[in-house]
Amino acid sequence: MRNVVVVGGGIVGLAVAWELSQRGQDVTVLEKESRWAAHQTGHNSNVVHAGLYYKPGSFKARMSVAGNRSIVDFARQYGVPVQVCGKLVVATREEEIPALDTLATRAEANGVPAKRISPAEAREYEPEVSCVAALRVESTGIIDFPAVCSALVRLLDEADADLRLGTPVRGIRAGRGGGVEVATGTEVLRADALVNCAGLQADRVAELAGLTPSARIVPFRGEYYELKPDRRHLVRGLIYPVPDPTLPFLGVHLTRMLDGSVHAGPNAVLALRREGYRWADVSMKDLTDVARFPGAWRLARKYAYPTGLEEVRRSFSKKRFAASLAQLVPAVTEDDIVRHGSGVRAQALRPNGALVDDFLIESARNQVHVLNAPSPAATSALEIAKHIADRVSA
């Protein structure tokens, strides 16, 4: 039996650990926080994505389509709340129709059940929606991703995995007799292999292991509002805009959650700390790392104006945020929404300023590093886990 250390206790790390344990591996999971799913997994919109946005043949396309099925099956098997409710992607202006048609073509190529519908048909699903055309995507769902993590922890505990909270990784080196050695600050763990699923800290963990990652993590915070209880009736399901194909974000959208609440967002602004959920969360180390990275400056030159500026304005202006939502559902006003928190996306960026638009997984001797796994990674977690387990076993 081989021993594998998994760094990171979000949904990807826990899914990898469970897949490895099912294959007979002895697994140790190290999570620096005091709880599982503390960051990206615990702060996302809990949407099970269908896979229509992603380039055919890419990791994201293949793994999200397969993951859409496997994560729903997992949830149903282990008692995790899930609903496959479908969603609308709506073009609110005539000039968005070509991009909507491109999404329909991509959905067909990826094997995603989606159909182009008229405004009247869209209003049968969402009576308050405003659009000139829409795409109905049947396989999109909503789920409780932290509850998925809790189920994975139970399964791993039953499999006698070594699960350690409050255990940061301080150093990684090749083992003297092979394998790897992982220092936690209190002890040195010896293992045959290491898998890095550290999310917002993934590039730093790779550097601890002696690698020079091909991309760096730049954190983007997404802020959410929610509809007041007496206005939740304005949204029955999930309503998304046609995304800007030049950006990795899907745009501000409306999502009815499992508890009946309706979340609105997120926007996308540079976080001033890797795990910074408010403007007041500032890390000089993290800001210095961004400032020293050439790719960040190249990205800023491309997107700071007007896109980035508008996102910042929307962050500080409830009125602007509400106006964005009103493009989708005109009945939504500034008085209808209240702040609901935020999440931080670990976006990998190349030195030339290019955003990494696919999952990025790099290997070294006895090591696998997941360097870019933003949305739809939660949807795809069980499929990513199979891919990584194959690499570990190779």
Side-chain angles (χ1 to χ4, degrees):
M1 179 183 294
R2 302 179 76 221
N3 175 265
V4 183
V5 169
V6 177
V7 181
I11 193 170
V12 174
L14 292 170
V16 168
W18 186 56
E19 180 66 27
L20 289 169
S21 71
Q22 288 186 298
R23 299 188 186 195
Q25 308 292 334
D26 187 12
V27 179
T28 299
V29 182
L30 307 180
E31 167 55 52
K32 69 182 179 66
E33 303 295 353
S34 60
R35 68 187 191 280
W36 306 109
H39 292 297
Q40 292 185 104
T41 307
H43 292 83
N44 69 27
S45 59
N46 283 328
V47 173
V48 180
H49 288 286
L52 78 158
Y53 297 106
Y54 316 115
K55 182 180 178 181
S58 65
F59 276 134
K60 282 187 176 183
R62 291 184 285 111
M63 291 183 178
S64 61
V65 172
N68 177 279
R69 296 187 293 267
S70 62
I71 202 73
V72 170
D73 289 345
F74 178 93
R76 289 170 173 166
Q77 182 176 355
Y78 294 104
V80 175
V82 64
Q83 294 177 15
V84 180
C85 53
K87 79 172 181 181
L88 291 180
V89 181
V90 299
T92 58
R93 306 186 310 273
E94 292 289 338
E95 53 265 36
E96 292 178 337
I97 289 179
L100 185 73
D101 290 339
T102 297
L103 278 184
T105 300
R106 183 161 284 187
E108 183 178 5
N110 290 342
V112 175
K115 64 177 181 178
R116 170 81 176 272
I117 61 176
S118 68
E121 291 171 315
R123 284 190 288 273
E124 292 178 6
Y125 293 102
E126 296 286 352
E128 300 292 336
V129 78
S130 173
C131 66
V132 295
L135 195 66
R136 175 66 182 175
V137 186
E138 295 294 343
S139 57
T140 301
I142 49 176
I143 195 170
D144 187 338
F145 280 125
V148 172
C149 291
S150 295
L152 288 168
V153 168
R154 290 196 302 271
L155 291 168
L156 286 163
D157 192 52
E158 292 169 2
D160 295 323
D162 186 0
L163 304 175
R164 304 192 187 192
L165 292 168
T167 309
V169 172
R170 304 298 188 190
I172 302 167
R173 68 184 182 188
R176 295 173 185 175
V180 294
E181 295 181 351
V182 182
T184 67
T186 58
E187 64 179 314
V188 176
L189 304 175
R190 293 170 176 82
D192 297 302
L194 174 138
V195 179
N196 168 17
C197 301
L200 285 156
Q201 307 293 337
D203 56 341
R204 289 175 175 171
V205 171
E207 288 182 330
L208 284 177
L211 276 68
T212 301
S214 64
R216 302 287 306 188
I217 296 298
V218 176
F220 285 90
R221 184 174 67 255
E223 298 157 326
Y224 289 90
Y225 282 81
E226 69 174 336
L227 295 187
K228 292 179 179 178
D230 63 343
R231 301 296 280 170
R232 291 174 179 174
H233 66 276
L234 296 175
V235 178
R236 291 181 175 179
L238 284 68
I239 306 174
Y240 279 62
V242 177
D244 183 338
T246 66
L247 297 173
F249 312 109
L250 299 181
V252 170
H253 46 272
L254 291 150
T255 305
R256 178 171 284 275
M257 309 302 288
L258 289 162
D259 64 0
S261 63
V262 177
H263 289 187
N267 63 343
V269 296
L270 179 69
L272 305 182
R273 180 180 175 183
R274 291 247 178 151
E275 292 151 1
Y277 298 99
R278 304 168 302 161
W279 282 108
D281 295 335
V282 180
S283 164
M284 291 309 299
K285 172 179 169 50
D286 292 349
L287 285 175
T288 299
D289 281 353
V290 171
R292 289 177 175 173
F293 182 49
W297 290 102
R298 293 180 176 119
L299 180 74
R301 282 196 292 269
K302 185 174 182 180
Y303 293 115
Y305 182 83
T307 303
L309 179 61
E310 177 56 31
E311 293 291 324
V312 171
R313 285 174 172 169
R314 189 161 54 188
S315 173
F316 286 100
S317 172
K318 182 181 178 183
K319 182 177 181 179
R320 285 178 179 271
F321 209 108
S324 296
L325 300 173
Q327 293 178 22
L328 306 174
V329 177
V332 173
T333 70
E334 181 180 357
D335 292 335
D336 295 331
I337 59 176
V338 292
R339 285 196 178 271
H340 183 72
S342 62
V344 180
R345 174 190 178 108
Q347 177 61 55
L349 186 62
R350 303 283 189 187
N352 65 0
L355 295 160
V356 179
D357 62 359
D358 202 359
F359 298 145
L360 178 61
I361 303 170
E362 296 184 349
S363 298
R365 183 175 177 82
N366 301 317
Q367 301 175 26
V368 179
H369 296 266
V370 183
L371 297 176
N372 191 56
S375 180
T379 297
S380 310
L382 299 176
E383 306 306 315
I384 295 172
K386 293 173 187 176
H387 176 82
I388 290 173
D390 288 343
R391 286 200 183 192
V392 172
S393 303

